Amino acid sequence: MQDGLGILELLQMADDVGARPLLVVNAGCGTGDSICVGGPALEPYIQGAIDAVEYVTGDASTFWGGKRAAAGRSLPFELKALGIGNENCVMGEQGEQYARNWYAIATAVRARYPHLPLVLGCEEQAQMLAMLQVE
């Protein structure tokens, strides 16, 4: 069963009302007591982020832009920023892994889309500052 609201419908709705959508991709982490994946298990998340940006912004001649065009929207959408993870800036082991995952995904996205602003998914400034200290 489908609910009929996917990324294309959400982006089209934002476009229709003049809103600027924030696309947020999974950083391989859950919330609460969930763990974050790392190493080779992070690769699908990295590729998923790159593919998502191409789906939204890619020309119809690209693989994912072509999928969007085939679904009914030939023109790319304007993407102002990409969020990586959501509410994952908890302190401790999971927060440190989220920081490493964020950096890995951000590095890959920046290599392909150097001018796209990236968002760190923290709730508080103190959490963000702690995340930026993780090596």
Side-chain angles (χ1 to χ4, degrees):
M1 182 168 152
Q2 296 182 6
D3 62 11
L5 182 66
I7 189 171
L8 179 62
E9 292 82 13
L10 184 64
L11 291 166
Q12 187 61 56
M13 180 181 68
D15 198 48
D16 290 347
V17 300
R20 293 185 302 173
L22 173 64
L23 180 64
V24 179
V25 296
N26 192 314
C29 301
T31 55
D33 293 331
S34 299
I35 61 167
C36 296
V37 302
L42 185 61
E43 290 302 318
Y45 296 92
I46 293 171
Q47 190 61 53
I50 292 168
D51 293 347
V53 174
E54 183 178 294
Y55 183 86
V56 175
T57 66
D59 183 271
S61 66
T62 65
F63 180 79
W64 287 107
K67 296 282 188 187
R68 183 199 63 245
R73 169 75 181 219
S74 60
L75 294 175
F77 290 96
E78 183 178 4
L79 186 60
K80 297 280 188 179
L82 175 70
I84 301 172
N86 180 34
E87 300 175 353
N88 298 124
C89 288
V90 295
M91 300 303 159
E93 186 178 331
Q94 182 193 21
E96 290 180 13
Q97 187 62 50
Y98 167 62
R100 287 189 290 274
N101 289 5
W102 189 95
Y103 184 75
I105 295 168
T107 299
V109 170
R110 277 273 157 80
R112 188 94 172 256
Y113 303 98
H115 301 294
L116 180 63
L118 303 175
V119 177
L120 180 64
C122 298
E123 296 175 16
E124 302 170 4
Q125 184 177 15
Q127 290 175 331
M128 179 192 70
L129 294 172
M131 293 299 103
L132 296 174
Q133 299 302 313
V134 174
E135 296 181 20

